[in-house]
């Protein structure tokens, strides 16, 4: 177990700033689903493939199947390594915030995640369960953690 670490994504609502404060390390992600129904990652993966993607050395499609996509460049518990990163998004721009592990986004496309997060007929917990079900149906090759936070009345 020597040299092992873990990933983390954490969100905190800052009432004074009316914004979400998000920190992450590793390849767990925070996604924003905005009022227009668009989905985007608020975080940038701390992985070898994430670095290559940020540099423009590989495409998003190449990243999905890259043989080193699970090699982390930052993780909680890695000795001497750099820490996590902080992000902020105004609450008005993020009525839905999704925190998840790679077990979700590697198995389910972003547009499908967005579709599963839509609608008022289901609770946030039911929508998260549907996302986990979709990831399992897609192969479920890794741990799947999903937390969906919705602003009341705006989901």
């Amino acid at each position: 177990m020597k040299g092992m670490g873990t990933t983390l994504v954490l969100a905190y609502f800052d009432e004074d700033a009316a914004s979400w404060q998000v920190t992450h390390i590793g390849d767990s992600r925070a996604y924003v689903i905005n009022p227009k129904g668009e989905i985007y990652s608020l975080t940038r993966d701390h992985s070898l493939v994430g670095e290559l993607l940020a540099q423009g050395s590989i495409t998003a499609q190449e990243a999905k199947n890259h043989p080193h996509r699970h090699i982390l460049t930052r993780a909680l518990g890695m000795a001497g390594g750099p820490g996590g990163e902080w992000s902020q998004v105004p609450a008005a721009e993020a009525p839905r915030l999704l925190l998840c592990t790679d077990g979700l986004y590697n198995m389910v496309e972003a547009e499908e995640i967005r579709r599963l997060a839509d609608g008022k007929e289901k609770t946030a917990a039911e929508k998260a369960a549907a996302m986990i079900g979709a990831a399992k149906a897609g192969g479920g090759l890794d741990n799947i953690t999903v937390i969906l936070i919705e602003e009341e009345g705006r989901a």
Side-chain angles (χ1 to χ4, degrees), residues 103-104 106-108 131-141 144:
L104 176 67
N106 282 336
M107 297 290 113
V108 184
M131 290 178 203
I132 292 169
K136 287 180 180 178
L141 301 177
I144 308 162

Side-chain angles (χ1 to χ4, degrees), residues 11 30 34 36 38 52 74 81 90-91 93 99 102 118 126 133 151 155:
N34 68 22
K36 297 176 187 174
E38 301 163 329
L52 293 172
R74 297 186 200 183
E93 295 176 21
L99 310 179
D102 59 342
D118 273 348
E126 290 170 330
E151 182 181 343

Side-chain angles (χ1 to χ4, degrees), residues 112-146:
E112 177 67 4
I113 292 170
R114 188 210 52 79
R115 188 190 66 74
L116 291 167
D118 273 348
K120 295 182 181 186
E121 65 282 350
K122 293 183 180 175
T123 67
E126 290 170 330
K127 294 172 189 179
M131 290 178 203
I132 292 169
K136 287 180 180 178
L141 301 177
D142 204 342
N143 65 316
I144 308 162
T145 303
V146 176

Side-chain angles (χ1 to χ4, degrees), residues 29-85:
R29 292 182 184 170
Y31 284 94
V32 169
I33 304 171
N34 68 22
K36 297 176 187 174
E38 301 163 329
I39 185 170
Y40 65 90
S41 181
L42 186 61
T43 55
R44 183 179 61 87
D45 291 354
H46 299 138
S47 66
L48 178 61
V49 168
E51 302 292 333
L52 293 172
L53 195 57
Q55 294 168 3
S57 300
I58 61 172
T59 66
Q61 189 59 38
E62 291 170 324
K64 286 183 181 184
N65 299 310
H66 197 282
H68 301 298
R69 67 186 172 277
H70 297 297
I71 297 176
L72 298 176
T73 55
R74 297 186 200 183
L76 194 60
M78 288 177 78
E85 284 185 65

